[in-house]
Amino acid sequence: RLKDLEVAELGDSDVHVKMLAAPINPADINMIQGTYAILSPLPAVGGNEGVGEVLEVGRRVAALKPGDRVISAGPGLGTWRTQGVFPEENLLKVPSDIPLLCAATLSVNPCTAYRMLADFETLAPGDSVIQNAANSGVGQAVIQIAKASGIKTINVVRDRPDLPKLVERLMALGADHVITEEMLRKPEMKDIFKSVPKPRLALNCVGGKSTTEMLRHLQPKGTMVTYGGMAKQPVMVPVSAFIFRDVRLRGFWMTQWRKDHAQDQESLGSMMDALCELIRKGQLVAPACTEVPLQDYRAALEAAMKPFTSSKQILLL
């Protein structure tokens, strides 16, 4: 429900923020459904990421000032609101020359893509990565970050009515190959590997059959990282993949990474700097977005839950 709430009093270490824009991500929906790994105590405000402008700061706040742009430093902030008072430690300053929609969608998907490309395999220019759900927010960020590093991407999407349009859009972002899940099983896959080496890294957001098929194309000793389970089916791995090809299966959750690196401001800072630099150079753009006024939140939530959505719903606050 849309409700009017009193803005909390500003404490010494608090920051009063006017929210500007906040996306609707799958994890936000899962939190509302009560199926996510972290749940806010009720009553709660939805939304885990978004961008706002600092209106006022408490007297002990040193790193932020009125006029600064900020994003959430972690989950559970409750960004689907027009204003809020948050502890300074829950916010990260972002450069004001970053486009609004890039800033609003920066702290979850691009960070997830960046970490998965950096932390599991040492990839060099010319290496390749295979991923499913390639049209997701993370998938689009993977394509662009990989492209900027000279890494080739093989991108798997579900077959759909507007497939040629989607393929064209992902190719325009820098995808090297876009294929359907059905293609993964076909002999034509051999043709792809004439121009691109077999991947050392697979990124899985789906589960079920899609994952098993994708795994078949991974190099021996390669790594598959699971960061989502959109098919709501388990990851099935043939015994032979473990024994004869020694593949590694890992998991990734951005929230956990932030917890593990809470004292490591350098890692967080260098990642945010690298992403902002890619945005400035035009090498990382926001995913395709549909901007929706906050009062139309119901329509936005419904649209976010439809299958084959390639546009992220952004609440304008």
Side-chain angles (χ1 to χ4, degrees), residues 22-25 288-292 299-305 309 311-315:
I24 299 175
N25 289 321
C289 292
T290 304
E291 298 172 46
V292 183
L301 284 168
E302 276 169 27
M305 293 168 74
T309 48
S311 185
K312 192 167 279 296
Q313 303 292 309
I314 305 271
L315 296 171

Side-chain angles (χ1 to χ4, degrees), residues 4 23 29 37 55 75 87 107 150 185 192 208 242 263 265 282 303 315-316:
D4 286 323
I29 307 271
L55 294 178
S107 67
R185 302 177 195 115
I192 286 177
F242 281 129
Q263 305 309 315
Q265 286 307 305
L315 296 171
L316 296 181

Side-chain angles (χ1 to χ4, degrees), residues 132 203-215 224-238 242 247-251:
N132 55 24
L203 305 176
N204 167 45
C205 179
V206 178
K209 259 191 196 148
S210 160
T211 311
T212 313
E213 295 295 340
M214 195 165 67
L215 197 68
M224 183 169 80
V225 182
T226 292
Y227 68 97
M230 286 160 65
K232 297 188 168 62
Q233 290 166 355
V235 170
M236 308 285 277
V237 181
F242 281 129
V247 297
R248 272 168 280 223
L249 265 64
R250 299 286 305 275

